Amino acid sequence: MLSIAMPSNVEIKAKVSDLEEFARKAAQLSQSQGTIIRQHDTFFNCSQGRLKLRDFMNGSGQLIFYERPDTDGPKLSRYSISPTSDPPSLKAVLSDALGVKGEIRKERRLFLIGQTRVHLDTVEGLGHFMELEVSTHS
């Protein structure tokens, strides 16, 4: 079987204690106020890696498969993404086929600083988090 290398990135995630201060610094460094993205992620049972459907709540979404170690600190994440124009229908099919592992709703504020994507997430029921993401491919 032909193996195609999946794209990858390095990411770091952490809880944010001062949302306003983090947003102010990110806005200053990116010279923008960031882009607001609403997301409803549904995670499905999967025999290897992770499989999630990201619904952007606007009629579009992405099915994302990724592999990432469950360790603290920077992580290399390998992934593949397929866009969808019907997230609810795809969610129903995947739920029936694989079962739902969990769901997360969040508002993401995206800042671009050089090659780094800085995410400031407000996750429903969990709090505020940041993620730094740098692509390892061109």
Side-chain angles (χ1 to χ4, degrees):
M1 182 165 112
L2 180 62
S3 177
I4 308 281
M6 289 194 296
S8 60
N9 62 34
V10 174
E11 56 188 52
I12 298 173
K13 297 182 182 197
K15 193 158 181 58
V16 172
S17 56
D18 189 336
L19 178 73
E20 289 76 22
E21 179 66 9
F22 187 93
R24 186 188 67 72
K25 286 182 181 174
Q28 181 182 16
L29 289 169
S30 69
Q31 299 179 354
S32 80
Q33 291 304 306
T35 303
I36 302 291
I37 305 166
R38 290 179 56 230
Q39 298 176 349
H40 179 185
D41 291 348
T42 303
F43 295 83
F44 300 95
N45 295 312
C46 186
S47 61
Q48 68 176 36
R50 296 177 173 112
L51 183 65
K52 73 179 167 187
L53 176 63
R54 174 159 287 162
D55 187 339
F56 292 112
M57 313 305 292
N58 64 4
S60 71
Q62 297 172 325
L63 183 62
I64 305 167
F65 170 77
Y66 61 105
E67 295 175 312
R68 181 183 69 219
D70 290 323
T71 57
D72 289 339
K75 302 171 194 50
L76 179 65
S77 180
R78 297 176 43 231
Y79 61 90
S80 55
I81 299 175
S82 178
T84 179
S85 58
D86 190 357
S89 175
L90 185 54
K91 178 181 176 182
V93 170
L94 289 169
S95 296
D96 287 346
L98 302 173
V100 173
K101 191 172 194 172
E103 296 187 52
I104 292 177
R105 293 177 188 271
K106 65 185 165 190
E107 182 177 278
R108 169 166 282 176
R109 195 162 160 193
L110 168 65
F111 300 92
L112 299 174
I113 303 172
Q115 293 181 286
T116 305
R117 294 172 59 91
V118 177
H119 304 148
L120 179 54
D121 295 339
T122 299
V123 181
E124 193 174 283
L126 294 178
H128 307 293
F129 299 85
M130 67 77 126
E131 177 180 10
L132 306 177
E133 189 177 274
V134 179
S135 177
T136 59
H137 62 281
S138 51

